[in-house]
């Protein structure tokens, strides 16, 4: 199977390269809540099945996202609208595959690849962009951050690292759900 058709289903929420900085012989050790010493390979740590799998967007989804983008500065609006365009194009492609399947073709691998890999690949790009800055800090060369692009890439990585965990994702979804369907309880 061609590499681009392989759906990445195990999604790290902490970059494996970053985890390797604490590894001893390829394993990271920690103390469990019960006080025992545990270890795992960096490949097996901090990952969740299908964490970044996306859903296709309908017109309501797009309007909801645009409403949240609208109050932002022009620059941030452009960044978010560009990202939204990527996701709407993915939706169009997936919908096209679905229509073509009705004529006897099977596009399950193509659809799965888009659904599982689009956001994962985006995060991989952010991680790759931060690698130079992280390597500089690891090797005790903080002057690497004097180059503005390196600093911006590091900030982007840190920002995305904070927001890409399952706990954060669930809290955001809960807050958005509450915004769309506020509870009927009144505060006094």
């Amino acid at each position: 199977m061609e590499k681009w058709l392989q759906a990445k289903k195990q999604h790290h929420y902490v970059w494996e390269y970053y985890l390797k900085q604490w590894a001893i012989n390829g394993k990271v050790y920690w103390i469990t809540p019960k006080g025992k010493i545990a270890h795992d390979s960096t490949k097996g740590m901090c990952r969740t099945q299908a964490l970044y799998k996306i859903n296709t967007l309908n017109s309501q989804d797009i309007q909801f996202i645009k409403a949240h983008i609208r109050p932002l500065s022009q620059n941030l609006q452009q960044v978010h609208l560009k990202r939204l365009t990527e996701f709407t194009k993915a939706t169009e492609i997936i919908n096209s595959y679905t229509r073509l399947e009705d004529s006897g073709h099977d596009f399950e691998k193509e659809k799965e690849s888009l659904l599982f890999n689009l956001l994962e690949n985006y995060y991989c790009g952010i991680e790759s962009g931060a690698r130079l800055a992280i390597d500089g800090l690891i090797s005790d060369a903080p002057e690497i951050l004097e180059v503005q692009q390196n600093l911006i890439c590091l900030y982007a990585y840190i920002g995305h690292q904070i927001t890409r965990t399952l706990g954060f994702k669930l809290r955001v979804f809960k807050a958005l759900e509450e915004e769309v369907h506020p509870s009927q309880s009144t505060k006094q």
Side-chain angles (χ1 to χ4, degrees), residues 145-168:
L145 299 180
E146 292 173 10
V147 177
Q148 186 177 19
Q149 187 60 38
N150 294 339
L151 191 58
I152 290 169
C153 288
L154 181 62
Y155 287 161
Y157 168 73
I158 292 168
H160 280 275
Q161 186 56 54
I162 291 167
T163 62
R164 68 189 274 190
T165 64
L166 180 59
F168 186 87

Side-chain angles (χ1 to χ4, degrees), residues 1 55 72 77 79 81 84-85 104 119 127 136 157 170 172 182 185:
M1 177 186 331
N55 296 311
L72 303 175
Q77 283 183 34
V79 169
L81 288 172
L84 178 60
T85 298
L119 192 54
E127 292 166 346
Y157 168 73
L170 294 175
V172 167
S185 64

Side-chain angles (χ1 to χ4, degrees), residues 7-129:
K8 303 172 195 169
K9 295 184 178 182
Q10 289 292 332
H11 297 152
H12 277 93
Y13 50 88
V14 176
W15 185 18
E16 185 181 2
Y17 178 77
Y18 185 73
L19 288 171
K20 286 180 180 179
Q21 307 313 311
W22 284 274
I24 299 170
N25 296 326
K27 297 202 180 296
V28 176
Y29 293 80
W30 69 93
I31 298 178
T32 69
K34 293 184 177 183
K36 298 188 181 209
I37 296 175
H39 63 84
D40 200 349
S41 72
T42 56
K43 199 156 217 46
M45 291 186 72
C46 302
R47 69 180 188 174
T48 300
Q49 177 83 13
L51 181 60
Y52 306 129
K53 181 183 181 204
I54 63 168
N55 296 311
T56 56
L57 300 174
N58 62 33
S59 59
Q60 274 185 306
D61 297 327
I62 294 168
Q63 292 310 312
F64 181 81
I65 293 167
K66 285 182 175 180
H68 281 79
I69 293 171
R70 206 170 290 117
L72 303 175
S73 70
Q74 282 296 115
N75 288 341
L76 282 176
Q77 283 183 34
Q78 289 175 353
V79 169
H80 290 296
L81 288 172
K82 180 181 176 191
R83 189 74 50 227
L84 178 60
T85 298
E86 293 172 15
F87 286 94
T88 55
K89 284 182 182 178
T91 293
E92 291 169 11
I93 292 167
I94 290 166
N95 290 341
S96 295
Y97 285 148
T98 302
R99 285 190 297 277
L100 289 171
E101 283 176 338
D102 294 340
S103 63
H105 293 84
D106 181 19
F107 290 99
E108 196 56 37
K109 293 285 183 203
E110 289 84 349
K111 291 191 314 188
E112 206 174 64
S113 171
L114 273 171
L115 292 171
F116 280 94
N117 297 355
L118 186 63
L119 192 54
E120 170 70 6
N121 290 346
Y122 172 68
Y123 286 140
C124 287
I126 291 170
E127 292 166 346
S128 295

